[in-house]
Amino acid sequence: MTDILILDPHTPDPELIAQAAEVLRRGGLVAFPTETVYGLGAHAFDRGAIHRVFDAKGRPATDPLIVHVTSVERIAPLVADIPETARTLALRFWPGPLTLVLPRSPSVPDEVTAGLETVAVRVPAHPVARALLAAAAIPIAAPSANLFSRPSPTRAAHVLQDLDGRIDLLIDGGPTNVGVESTVLDLSRSIPTILRPGAVTLEMLLEVLPRVIRGNVAAPTPTAPMPSPGLLAKHYSPRAPLTLYEGDAKSVAARLAADARAQVARGYSVGIVAADEDPFEGAHVVRVGSEQDLAGVASHLYSALRELDAAGVDVILARGFPALSGIGVAIADRLRRAADGRIVRC
Ligand code: TXA
Ligand code: MG
């Protein structure tokens, strides 16, 4: 049985937060909203609880977890030391959607780091996450609260779709704001390296750091060394196979519409991920926002994929968005992973 607490996302009731914090302190699993996606929290130093997180998600033990704390000072027990770069980034971007990978302290359980010599840490900004961390007064390891390889949950209902009965408690704090997972920045290398693009963009990082590079974020091949163990190509995927159309908006619209017609003629039910300005029509067209508002697109992306799955479509055709800068890089990264190689360049 999964209990559900409904909380005001801006001013969460302290008594209900205290109840949820107690579940975490005792080794229970609590899903909670962050500003990016819902997380599945567990006491970071409780090995039993961490094992249950992997079990509940069906996640391979080789994929390490992010540890969430209330402030940069609280990462001290988790890391070998706090480098100046981390302090600079914390000052500018924490609390917020940035995860830092740092050399670990030996006291962090191997289960959390998947045996790596580094640990990923983040200070989330969502008032519910902050209140929960403060009340629990322990570091909380939290992957996204979805079944392994499914799109991350951006609403409480998504968590229930995947994990009902598999976790102790779900805090429903409404839809999340950012909609894609945090930027993962590896500070353990000589040059800070983005392992996963997110809402804290390359351009923003370059405002405070002299050098930042993008890791091999475009779907790694199975034989290439994996920059971050969790970054499998097939990730964030709806059940229906998704094909991604990239290129200029007009060519994409023409090609996607033609392919949709062909699939319908073959008897398939076709879902389309569209922008507000696209001409597509039909029962299963889900609009994720305007090309002019990529933050809005990011916040609606995963719910669109889940909505099309729930509608039972056989295939999903998705239009790409401007991918070269800002949060467009993160949107393209997630869509390409969902497409698992099915990319049509128009
Ligand atoms: O926005 C987010 O980051 C959400 C919320 C809940 O905070 N969490 C999240 O966790 O997306 P998860 O487990 O779904 O993704 C964590 C990512 C994975 O790609 C994992 O491989 C990477 O962070 N990661 C964790 N520890 C790492 C490490 N020591 N070195 C490199 N990558 C690491
Ligand atoms: Mg995840």
Side-chain angles (χ1 to χ4, degrees):
M1 231 344 247
T2 297
D3 292 324
I4 302 175
L5 291 178
I6 299 176
L7 264 71
D8 181 305
H10 306 291
T11 49
D13 180 335
E15 269 178 38
L16 297 180
I17 287 287
Q19 278 178 30
E22 194 49 33
V23 175
L24 284 168
R25 292 179 62 87
R26 291 197 186 145
L29 305 190
V30 177
F32 62 95
T34 80
E35 72 277 24
T36 56
V37 300
Y38 273 75
L40 176 56
H43 191 321
F45 287 103
D46 182 331
R47 289 170 195 271
I50 300 301
H51 281 287
R52 285 195 289 282
V53 166
F54 283 90
D55 284 350
K57 282 182 57 91
R59 176 170 171 129
T62 50
D63 191 352
L65 307 182
I66 298 171
V67 183
H68 298 66
V69 292
T70 49
S71 72
V72 66
E73 302 311 327
R74 298 296 165 109
I75 70 175
L78 305 167
V79 299
D81 78 327
I82 308 181
E84 207 41 49
T85 318
R87 290 187 188 280
T88 306
L89 290 164
L91 204 60
R92 173 76 163 75
F93 298 111
W94 278 353
L98 175 67
T99 293
L100 300 179
V101 172
L102 290 164
R104 64 182 280 201
S105 147
S107 58
V108 179
D110 282 340
E111 289 84 348
V112 170
T113 66
L116 296 177
E117 286 310 307
T118 53
V119 63
V121 291
R122 164 162 123 82
V123 175
H126 195 292
V128 169
R130 290 174 64 73
L132 186 62
L133 285 165
I138 47 172
I140 304 291
S144 49
N146 51 284
L147 284 174
F148 180 65
S149 94
R150 298 273 299 141
S152 291
T154 54
R155 293 155 193 248
H158 301 163
V159 178
L160 280 183
Q161 283 168 6
D162 283 15
L163 300 177
D164 193 12
R166 304 170 77 94
I167 62 176
D168 299 297
L169 181 63
L170 162 62
I171 302 178
D172 180 348
T176 64
N177 173 28
V178 175
V180 291
E181 305 82 352
S182 62
T183 305
V184 177
L185 184 69
D186 189 348
L187 294 182
S188 72
R189 308 180 184 203
S190 53
I191 303 172
T193 304
I194 296 175
L195 300 181
R196 180 175 71 183
V200 172
T201 63
L202 176 67
E203 296 85 347
M204 290 160 70
L205 292 168
L206 284 172
E207 286 170 19
V208 293
L209 299 182
R211 286 193 74 187
V212 179
I213 54 175
R214 273 188 205 152
N216 176 22
V217 290
T221 59
T223 48
M226 225 173 277
S228 183
L231 297 180
L232 301 174
K234 183 171 165 53
H235 214 129
Y236 316 108
S237 306
R239 290 197 181 87
L242 179 148
T243 303
L244 176 62
Y245 293 75
E246 293 192 326
D248 77 275
K250 260 196 172 157
S251 320
V252 163
R255 178 73 191 274
L256 194 157
D259 285 2
R261 278 193 299 274
Q263 300 269 31
V264 168
R266 279 188 218 122
Y268 290 121
S269 166
V270 178
I272 297 179
V273 177
D276 290 349
E277 41 275 89
D278 288 336
F280 315 125
E281 279 166 40
H284 300 307
V285 177
V286 180
R287 297 190 190 278
V288 288
S290 165
E291 264 205 338
Q292 309 302 322
D293 171 24
L294 293 183
V297 170
S299 80
H300 293 111
L301 189 61
Y302 287 145
S303 58
L305 300 183
R306 282 183 181 260
E307 187 180 330
L308 290 172
D309 266 345
V313 299
D314 301 309
V315 294
I316 297 174
L317 311 185
R319 65 103 88 203
F321 288 85
L324 292 180
S325 62
I327 198 166
V329 177
I331 294 168
D333 171 70
R334 303 311 191 275
L335 279 171
R336 287 172 190 164
R337 287 175 200 286
D340 194 24
R342 290 174 299 268
I343 300 177
V344 178
R345 304 205 192 269
C346 308

